Amino acid sequence: MINAQIDTDGQGPVVLSRDRCVALLATVPVGRIIYTERALPAVQLVNFVVAGDTIVIRTAWGSKLAAAARKAIVAFEADSYDAETRTGWSVTAVGHARVVEEPDEIAFLDTLPLQPWAPGRRQYYIRIAIEMLTGRQITSTQHGDNGNDPIERPQ
Amino acid sequence: MTQSNARSDARVDTLDEDACRRLISPGGIGRIAYKGRYGLAVIPVNYALDGDTVVFRTTAGSALDEDLRTGIADADYLVAFEIDHIDEARHEGWSVLIQGTAHHLESEAERAAVAHLDVRPWPGGSKDLYFRITPTRTTGRVIHQTTPAG
């Protein structure tokens, strides 16, 4: 049983640099979309890629995620935790989501290495603008400090 | 890289509540999602299952702690709690989503009730706060590849 603790300093989230966050996102194939469904938070696991300042996902026509993502603000989270070294990270992006409808844009997105593990028919792309990006280092330490990874205060 | 036909044999199945509970019972890392001061927030936390409820802890004074303590007696926060397991090599995985209310365990009795769970506070560390999520809805999905990925 791992005993990880997410450390914050009580001042607010401890922020990793934007470049580091983007680099970390590139290392995992799935993340989670957090959206609101009838005023309740909901979470769905998705395959994704980062393209420019957006996160690109695919979803099935008519899915709850599709409905929620039409011009709504969603959050996207990805993380990785190593039980042996007891370290890991979590990155969260928040921003407006939109369904991609332009054929040229779809053609471009088709070239990206986004391969849903469960593809289906009638899928379309959703792009989430990265308007806020925060990252946390996860360590399990006795004294609650965050180890020696570069940490920047929010600007 | 084009999508191979083999991958289109993936299946997504829903999991019933019992299957969900079995999958999440070992505990570990889950993610709490809620609408906080800055909008939607999602934070990985260490959790344990206590019967049908999920117990996790936060550091006192953290943003998560302040967001989840509504300050209204008996008013609990609506949250989602997500746990998943992914096999990157096989392109398979499962995900369980709990939607429910998060209650701050304030009294000594409430804290004593979770002492046996493996969500221990740090020895000599800052005061930790415990929350219990009571599910109102539990759903899950599993992705199988019926032919090998790659």
Side-chain angles (χ1 to χ4, degrees), chain B residues 1 4 6-7 89 91 147-150:
Chain B
M1 205 199 304
S4 73
R7 204 152 294 134
H91 289 208
T147 53

Side-chain angles (χ1 to χ4, degrees), chain B:
Chain B
M1 205 199 304
T2 56
Q3 264 183 17
S4 73
N5 285 335
R7 204 152 294 134
S8 67
D9 290 336
R11 281 179 43 176
V12 179
D13 291 322
T14 54
L15 298 166
D16 64 24
E17 281 199 25
D18 284 344
C20 291
R21 199 167 300 123
R22 273 198 304 275
L23 285 168
I24 69 175
S25 61
I29 296 268
R31 293 152 204 88
I32 172 125
Y34 61 97
K35 211 159 182 189
R37 300 174 279 176
Y38 305 111
L40 288 167
V42 53
I43 301 173
V45 293
N46 191 243
Y47 82 95
L49 205 61
D50 186 22
D52 285 345
T53 68
V54 167
V55 175
F56 68 91
R57 64 178 158 74
T58 75
T59 306
S62 65
L64 173 59
D65 157 42
E66 287 175 22
D67 278 341
L68 289 181
R69 289 206 284 172
T70 63
I72 303 168
D74 295 332
D76 292 335
Y77 221 103
L78 292 174
V79 300
F81 197 82
E82 191 264 359
I83 306 112
D84 56 55
H85 175 78
I86 294 153
D87 185 328
E88 281 188 40
R90 294 165 65 151
H91 289 208
E92 297 185 323
W94 56 262
S95 170
V96 170
L97 176 65
I98 291 170
Q99 289 167 312
T101 54
H103 175 74
H104 175 227
L105 303 182
E106 205 138 18
S107 69
E108 271 198 39
E110 286 177 313
R111 291 170 67 90
V114 298
H116 67 287
L117 300 171
D118 195 7
V119 223
R120 317 188 275 279
W122 297 114
S126 58
K127 183 186 173 208
D128 287 312
L129 296 147
Y130 292 79
F131 288 87
R132 185 189 299 280
I133 298 174
T134 302
T136 51
R137 186 165 173 250
T138 302
T139 53
R141 302 162 93 213
V142 58
I143 298 176
H144 303 285
Q145 300 291 336
T146 53
T147 53

Side-chain angles (χ1 to χ4, degrees), chain A residues 1-13 27-32 34-47 58 64 73-81 86 89-94 110-120 123 132 134 136 138-144, chain B residues 1-4 7-8 10-12 26-29 31 33-35 37-38 40-48 57-64 66 78-82 84-95 97-100 118-125 128 136-137 141 143-145:
Chain A
M1 174 76 174
I2 46 183
N3 222 346
Q5 172 69 36
I6 309 311
D7 294 312
T8 65
D9 57 3
Q11 307 296 317
T27 64
V28 290
V30 298
R32 294 148 202 92
I34 299 88
Y35 59 99
T36 307
E37 177 196 18
R38 275 182 270 169
L40 292 176
V43 182
Q44 183 166 321
L45 208 56
V46 291
N47 294 105
R58 291 179 70 175
K64 286 182 182 170
I73 295 179
V74 300
F76 172 87
E77 188 268 358
D79 58 54
S80 182
Y81 184 78
R86 293 183 156 203
W89 54 268
S90 164
V91 169
T92 300
V94 180
D110 281 342
T111 68
L112 298 179
L114 174 58
Q115 290 184 307
W117 291 356
Q123 291 217 326
M132 241 178 54
T134 57
R136 287 176 174 80
I138 305 172
T139 60
S140 63
T141 65
Q142 293 279 332
H143 301 292
Chain B
M1 205 199 304
T2 56
Q3 264 183 17
S4 73
R7 204 152 294 134
S8 67
R11 281 179 43 176
V12 179
I29 296 268
R31 293 152 204 88
Y34 61 97
K35 211 159 182 189
R37 300 174 279 176
Y38 305 111
L40 288 167
V42 53
I43 301 173
V45 293
N46 191 243
Y47 82 95
R57 64 178 158 74
T58 75
T59 306
S62 65
L64 173 59
E66 287 175 22
L78 292 174
V79 300
F81 197 82
E82 191 264 359
D84 56 55
H85 175 78
I86 294 153
D87 185 328
E88 281 188 40
R90 294 165 65 151
H91 289 208
E92 297 185 323
W94 56 262
S95 170
L97 176 65
I98 291 170
Q99 289 167 312
D118 195 7
V119 223
R120 317 188 275 279
W122 297 114
D128 287 312
T136 51
R137 186 165 173 250
R141 302 162 93 213
I143 298 176
H144 303 285
Q145 300 291 336

